Amino acid sequence: MEGRNIPPFITLTAAMIACVICIFRKASLFSTLKIVLIVMILFYIIGRIVQKILVKIDHDAEEAALQRQREEQEKAARELEESELNEQNKNADSEKKINGAEQNAENGSSLN
């Protein structure tokens, strides 16, 4: 999120509200222009601050999501590696049992 429309939106909204208030108070044109100019400057600054805060929050959230994704990928890779090691150990154990059984069979037949 860039948020580049935030300062103008806040500024124009505040200026519109200031104009409506000046109209209802029946302020002179010069005083209305001064008030609207001051309001626009102040609220533009406020809008820029809000924009920076929102962009930073969005950036931090994206970084956190990427970090979680990396951690999940690493966890999945470790689990896959462990399952492959377990499978290899099972295969090695079964081969040892087969070899042991064959040797026992050979030893048993040579004794007879």
Side-chain angles (χ1 to χ4, degrees):
M1 175 179 149
E2 286 182 37
R4 59 177 207 233
N5 292 333
I6 293 173
F9 180 74
I10 291 175
T11 302
L12 292 174
T13 304
M16 181 183 70
I17 292 170
C19 284
V20 170
I21 290 172
C22 286
I23 289 171
F24 281 125
R25 290 182 149 198
K26 297 184 184 199
S28 68
L29 181 61
F30 182 69
S31 64
T32 300
L33 289 175
K34 279 194 319 189
I35 291 170
V36 170
L37 179 63
I38 292 169
V39 165
M40 288 181 77
I41 291 170
L42 288 176
F43 278 88
Y44 182 76
I45 293 168
I46 291 170
R48 293 289 293 185
I49 293 169
V50 169
Q51 175 190 23
K52 289 187 185 287
I53 291 170
L54 290 177
V55 168
K56 181 166 179 16
I57 289 170
D58 188 48
H59 179 69
D60 291 346
E62 287 176 4
E63 286 294 321
L66 287 174
Q67 182 65 27
R68 279 193 305 270
Q69 185 179 14
R70 281 189 218 116
E71 289 172 358
E72 289 172 2
Q73 288 174 347
E74 290 173 0
K75 182 180 176 184
R78 281 193 306 269
E79 288 175 355
L80 180 63
E81 203 173 282
E82 288 175 4
S83 67
E84 287 175 352
L85 285 174
N86 288 339
E87 188 67 31
Q88 288 175 355
N89 289 340
K90 287 179 184 177
N91 289 341
D93 289 342
S94 62
E95 285 180 20
K96 286 180 185 177
K97 287 179 183 176
I98 292 171
N99 290 338
E102 288 175 355
Q103 286 178 354
N104 286 339
E106 288 175 6
N107 288 340
S109 65
S110 66
L111 290 178
N112 289 334

